[in-house]
Structure formats: C-alpha cells, structure tokens
C-alpha cells in the first residue's frame, strides 16, 4: 500500500516509506472492517448507509486559508456582505433541522458525526447543542476546526461529549499562521489547546485532542517548531501531512523535491518530539501518494467509497467532502426530501456512475479506503493462499 523505494534526503539519509502500526493508527482504513455487517452488505451489492457522516454546521468561515478548497476556488465563504453576494448559499444550519435529521440518520445506522465542512463549525452559535444532542442519541461526535473560537465554555462541552477534536494550526509562528489563515490568532489557538487539555484532565475525559499542519512552502521550515509548540500545550497528538491541491486549483502542484523535504522534516519532528503521551502522526500514506509517479491513480479505477457523503449547512447532500459545493455532485436537497429518499433515489445513482477517479481530488480522504476495497474486488495475489 505504500511506495517501496527509498529516498535520499537533502542530508543523505535514506528515507523509506513505513507501514503504520495498525493497532494504534487512528487513521487506518482497516477500521472499516470492525463493521463486518455493513461490509458484508457492501460485498453483496446492497445499498449501504453511512457509518460516519460529515456535516457542515456553517458554510461561513472567519478565516481565509490560502489553499482552502472551499474559500479558494469554490467561491468566498466568509461572513461579510461582500462574501454573501459572491456566495448566496452562505448559511447556518438550524438546530431544529439538525435534530430531525439526526433522528433519521440514527434509524439508518449512522454511528458517528464529524462536524467540519466548507465553513468553520464554531461559527454556528448552536454547535455545542449539536454536540450535546448527538451524544444524547448515542452517536459519537468529532470536530475539525481552526481553533480560534474554542472558548473555555465550549471546551467543557467538547471534553464531556466529543470522541476527538482536531485543530488546523498550519504554522509554527504567528507570522506564518497569519500568512496562511489571514488571521493573527496563533498564540490564542495554542492557549485554547492548552485549556482544552486541562479541561480533559479535570473531567477525566477520553476525548482525543489533536492539531495538524498541512505542509506547503510557506510553513515548510516550521514543521519542527510547530510540533514543539503543540506538544507544550499538553494535547494528545500532532498530525503532519502534505497539502494536496485539488485539480480545480489555480496553483501549480508542488514538485517532488518539496515533498521529499517535507517528509524528511516531518520524520525529524517525530523523532525529536514524540513521547509515550504525545504522538506525532506523519501521514506516510499521503506522502507516498504524492511521491508516486501517477499519484497512485492506478491503485483503483472506480470509487467504491460511495457511503461517505457530506451534508452542507444549506441542507444539500454531496457525494463526498471533495465534491461539496459542486452542483454536478449534489445528491439532493434535504429541504424537500428525507435522507433516505436521497440515498435511495435515482439522482444518487447517476452521480455515482459519473465519478471519474482520474478527475477527482488525488489522495483524498477516501483514497486509502478505495485502495482496500478495490483490492478486495480485484484480487491479484493468489487469494486462496492466506
């Protein structure tokens, strides 16, 4: 599943792609097979409903990251008047709508909810009520956020009810955070992380608190410094991954030497700062993908990960997180249909049939899942010898 060649770093050290520890890798696609009843239905060709749902409480964000796929080239999503004119769908999901939606999703087998989306989840003033109701229904919840709006009051709810939360830090200094996010809140976010870590200890909570840096030329030199600053907050882990540009991006794809340098720095940061209580996850699979000559396009020829949709705050359902906001991948509108009606409808079948993996976001969220499922459907390794 990973590139097998060794790479020479800028200092002459051999870099070889490593397999993750499947017992501790929280990002492993093999977690899918803890739901064997669902996977059996998938194998039989049945219409499998989402185990994990991703939902946008808000399409509005008060940051404007330089390479954000949503704000960068799907139209502005900041909450000022000018942005609303550019994006009339900018919206906040009502709590009453979410409660009704979740009630239905529970009956369909949804077990977890990720609050993320094209906007910043915490822009929705009712996000903590979303989290509390999700816990009330027995569904696990998680949040992906830029971290700038995580107040002490909200941290108490997160620690009490969330399974995990991950903050997109993307810098090791205030100056670089401002260059990328267009907001100067670096120290504030680190303070928010430290407060959340303390709240976790106070409550005896099991919430996993993480931060991440998506490595690009602006923050490349700060990978180690970012890891150090994050460890000082007392949270659980730091994730280091490469920025992978969408095909619709106007920016040019970074060259091979950049990704090799980024991988070298990521591994150095892990070696320097990882401890028994602070993990440093280097996204080896994503680095392997961007370093492969074909971006691992040949690893599968069809998207089998058809059960990881996204629901936007404007109540539209999209095929996946990389297609949100693109009408050709919209499965339906929850303003006029139930989720079940959308999931079993003809429109979803049409969208699924239209997916061309050569034109999709490379190394996407479902990329490792697709590699596994494609291998199951197309074995070429003497499968009767186990």
């Amino acid at each position: 599943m990973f590139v097998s060649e060794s790479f020479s770093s800028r200092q002459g050290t051999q870099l070889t792609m490593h397999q993750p520890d499947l017992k501790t890798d929280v990002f492993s696609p093999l977690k899918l097979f803890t739901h064997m009843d669902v996977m059996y239905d998938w194998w039989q060709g049945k219409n499998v409903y989402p185990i994990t749902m991703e939902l946008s409480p808000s399409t509005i964000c008060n940051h404007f990251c330089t390479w954000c796929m949503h704000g960068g080239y799907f139209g502005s999503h900041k909450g000022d008047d000018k942005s609303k004119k550019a994006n009339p769908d900018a919206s906040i999901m009502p709590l009453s709508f979410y409660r009704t939606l979740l009630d239905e999703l529970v009956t369909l087998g949804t077990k977890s909810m990720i609050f993320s989306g094209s906007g910043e989840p915490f822009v929705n003033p009712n996000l903590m009520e979303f989290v509390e109701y999700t816990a009330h229904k027995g569904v696990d919840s998680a949040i992906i956020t830029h971290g700038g709006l995580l107040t002490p009051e909200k941290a108490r709810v997160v620690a009490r009810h969330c399974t995990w939360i991950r903050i997109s830090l993307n810098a090791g200094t205030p100056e670089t955070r401002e260059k990328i996010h267009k907001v100067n809140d670096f120290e504030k976010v680190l303070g928010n992380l430290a407060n959340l870590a303390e709240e976790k200890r106070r409550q005896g909570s099991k919430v996993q608190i993480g931060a991440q840096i998506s490595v690009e030329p602006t923050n490349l030199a700060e990978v180690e410094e970012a890891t150090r600053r994050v460890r000082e907050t007392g949270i659980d882990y730091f994730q280091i991954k490469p920025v992978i540009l969408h095909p619709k991006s106007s920016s040019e794809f970074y060259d091979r030497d950049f990704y090799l340098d980024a991988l070298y720095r990521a591994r150095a940061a892990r070696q320097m700062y990882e401890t028994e209580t602070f993990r440093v996850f280097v996204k080896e699979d994503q680095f392997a993908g961007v370093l492969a000559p074909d971006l691992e396009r040949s690893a599968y020829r069809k998207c089998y990960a058809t059960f990881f949709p996204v629901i936007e705050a404007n109540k539209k359902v999209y095929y996946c997180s990389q297609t949100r906001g693109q009408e050709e991948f919209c499965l339906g509108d929850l303003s006029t249909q139930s989720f079940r009606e959308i999931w079993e409808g003809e429109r979803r079948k049409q969208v699924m049939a239209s997916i061309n993996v050569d034109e999709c976001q490379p190394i996407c969220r479902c990329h490792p899942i697709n590699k596994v499922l494609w291998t199951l459907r197309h074995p070429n390794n003497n499968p009767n010898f186990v």
Side-chain angles (χ1 to χ4, degrees), residues 110-328:
T110 296
K111 293 179 170 56
S112 60
M113 180 70 68
I114 302 175
F115 298 111
S116 59
S118 58
E120 164 55 42
F122 281 97
V123 166
N124 189 316
N126 298 122
L127 179 62
M128 293 301 92
E129 285 84 357
F130 280 51
V131 170
E132 289 172 332
Y133 191 72
T134 306
H136 171 70
K137 298 298 290 187
V139 175
D140 295 339
S141 65
I143 304 174
I144 301 175
T145 169
H146 60 54
L149 303 176
L150 182 60
T151 64
E153 294 76 19
K154 293 171 181 176
R156 284 192 284 272
V157 178
V158 169
R160 186 176 302 117
H161 293 300
C162 286
T163 300
W164 57 266
I165 183 171
R166 186 162 64 247
I167 282 77
S168 297
L169 186 65
N170 298 321
T173 64
E175 295 77 17
T176 298
R177 168 81 171 184
E178 186 171 12
K179 285 180 182 178
I180 293 175
H181 283 249
K182 303 298 185 280
V183 176
N184 184 5
D185 63 352
F186 181 76
E187 297 297 342
K188 176 184 178 182
V189 171
L190 290 177
N192 291 345
L193 284 171
N195 176 74
L196 181 56
E198 179 58 31
E199 187 64 43
K200 175 182 177 177
R201 287 189 287 271
R202 263 195 302 268
Q203 294 188 24
S205 168
K206 294 183 179 180
V207 61
Q208 293 179 312
I209 309 171
Q212 73 174 19
I213 183 170
S214 296
V215 186
E216 49 112 313
T218 307
N219 60 23
L220 175 64
E222 297 181 3
V223 170
E224 291 183 9
E225 177 65 6
T227 310
R228 181 185 71 82
R229 292 300 307 273
V230 167
R231 189 178 77 168
E232 290 173 350
T233 67
I235 68 171
D236 301 301
Y237 73 88
F238 191 51
Q239 177 182 256
I240 306 172
K241 65 179 186 177
V243 166
I244 303 172
L245 298 171
H246 194 280
K248 290 182 178 289
S249 174
S250 59
S251 301
E252 292 186 7
F253 209 78
Y254 307 130
D255 62 28
R256 182 178 177 83
D257 287 343
F258 166 79
Y259 287 115
L260 285 171
D261 195 6
L263 178 58
Y264 175 86
R265 291 171 185 267
R267 289 189 176 163
R270 179 174 59 196
Q271 184 174 8
M272 188 176 300
Y273 293 111
E274 186 171 78
T275 68
E276 292 183 359
T277 58
F278 179 72
R279 298 293 307 277
V280 178
F281 292 103
V282 179
K283 292 289 287 179
E284 299 276 353
D285 60 328
Q286 292 189 3
F287 279 106
V290 295
L291 287 166
D294 65 345
L295 300 175
E296 294 190 340
R297 294 289 198 188
S298 60
Y300 50 92
R301 303 310 307 152
K302 179 179 179 180
C303 181
Y304 284 129
T306 60
F307 42 98
F308 293 92
V310 169
I311 299 174
E312 281 291 328
N314 59 12
K315 304 178 184 178
K316 292 184 178 181
V317 184
Y318 290 93
Y319 179 82
C320 67
S321 59
Q322 268 68 41
T323 60
R324 55 159 49 101
Q326 301 178 74
E327 286 305 306
E328 62 267 37

Side-chain angles (χ1 to χ4, degrees), residues 337-353:
Q337 297 173 283
S338 69
F339 187 85
R340 181 189 290 273
E341 288 172 337
I342 291 173
W343 202 250
E344 297 179 355
E346 287 301 314
R347 170 62 183 171
R348 177 168 175 259
K349 294 177 183 178
Q350 293 169 4
V351 172
M352 289 168 58

